[in-house]
């Protein structure tokens, strides 16, 4: 047994809590110079270097460095479950954000005597500013919630991939057999 395998294990839950503190969703919203071109850094040729070069990745690597192989495997399980949960939350968020506005419009259409078009046309002239502000507010809220869900999914995926890469460097291979199940397509 190596020294890493025989060292005293710290509670995995507290290690996971530290990882979660490193990868907050708001970190995914930081502006980057490549956003100006409408691109993501993940389109580059050396994506792994870009992924591993972040401040968060370096902090995670330092945290994982002194852990036993057993602890790294356990944290990878936490990361996989976390990613699965983030994927499910993202899917639910997207379905809900698309269906509830459509549902509200359908109900308004059904309960309006002459349909939704007549209702909007009647109130459009007198309540133009109100309807515009209300519509813009609803759209911004829907986009905000969707972006927050996407940021959480991105952070969950990064945690899992970084732990996988760290483990691979130690000779621990998990494979990516379940990635198809977690993909959004």
């Amino acid at each position: 047994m190596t020294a890493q395998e025989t060292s005293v294990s710290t509670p995995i839950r507290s290690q996971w809590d530290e990882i979660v503190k490193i990868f907050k969703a708001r970190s995914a919203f930081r502006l980057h110079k490549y956003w100006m071109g409408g691109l993501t850094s993940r389109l580059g040729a050396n994506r792994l270097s870009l992924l591993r070069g972040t401040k968060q990745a370096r902090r995670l690597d330092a945290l994982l460095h002194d852990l036993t192989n057993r602890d790294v495997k356990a944290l990878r399980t936490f990361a996989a479950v976390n990613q699965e949960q983030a994927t499910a939350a993202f899917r639910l968020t997207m379905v809900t954000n698309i269906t509830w506005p459509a549902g509200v419009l359908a109900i308004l259409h059904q309960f309006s005597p002459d349909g939704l078009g007549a209702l909007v046309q009647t109130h459009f002239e007198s309540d133009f500013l109100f309807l515009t502000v209300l519509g813009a507010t609803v759209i911004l809220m829907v986009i905000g919630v969707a972006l927050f869900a996407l940021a959480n999914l991105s952070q969950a995926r990064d945690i899992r991939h970084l732990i996988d890469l760290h483990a691979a460097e130690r000779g621990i291979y998990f494979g990516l057999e379940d990635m198809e199940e977690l993909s959004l397509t």
Side-chain angles (χ1 to χ4, degrees):
M1 284 192 166
T2 67
Q4 274 188 324
E5 292 172 340
T6 59
S7 66
V8 177
S9 174
T10 55
I12 296 304
R13 178 65 186 177
S14 66
Q15 294 295 329
W16 179 253
D17 291 342
E18 287 301 312
I19 292 170
V20 171
K21 288 178 189 175
I22 296 170
F23 288 85
K24 295 186 185 237
R26 70 175 179 253
S27 300
F29 289 113
R30 288 195 182 122
L31 291 177
H32 299 282
K33 65 180 177 183
Y34 52 79
W35 284 9
M36 301 309 254
L39 300 175
T40 175
S41 66
R42 303 296 168 91
L43 292 177
N46 195 356
R47 289 180 288 281
L48 294 183
S49 291
L50 293 169
L51 173 65
R52 297 186 82 185
T54 66
K55 178 180 165 184
Q56 296 167 307
R58 289 189 298 272
R59 288 180 62 197
L60 176 61
D61 197 52
L63 191 142
L64 296 173
H65 186 282
D66 294 328
L67 297 180
T68 65
N69 288 349
R70 182 175 179 215
D71 289 346
V72 170
K73 290 176 186 177
L75 283 172
R76 197 290 187 152
T77 300
F78 275 61
V81 171
N82 181 58
Q83 184 182 356
E84 184 178 330
Q85 292 291 313
T87 300
F90 178 77
R91 287 177 178 158
L92 179 62
T93 298
M94 295 312 294
V95 168
T96 301
N97 281 339
I98 291 168
T99 58
W100 79 260
V104 168
L105 291 175
I107 290 170
L108 282 174
H109 181 72
Q110 290 299 317
F111 287 111
S112 298
D114 296 324
L116 187 60
L119 178 69
V120 170
Q121 188 173 13
T122 301
H123 293 286
F124 194 70
E125 292 174 8
S126 62
D127 299 327
F128 174 74
L129 182 60
F130 172 75
L131 289 174
T132 303
V133 169
L134 178 65
T137 301
V138 168
I139 289 169
L140 287 175
M141 286 174 51
V142 167
I143 290 171
V145 170
L147 286 174
F148 183 72
L150 182 61
N152 279 300
L153 176 58
S154 177
Q155 295 294 58
R157 186 175 29 234
D158 285 355
I159 293 169
R160 176 156 179 212
H161 290 165
L162 288 165
I163 291 174
D164 282 351
L165 291 170
H166 181 88
E169 288 179 340
R170 288 185 176 200
I172 306 168
Y173 304 104
F174 298 108
L176 298 174
E177 298 84 17
D178 57 348
M179 289 308 296
E180 186 175 311
E181 296 170 17
L182 296 175
S183 71
L184 297 175
T185 56

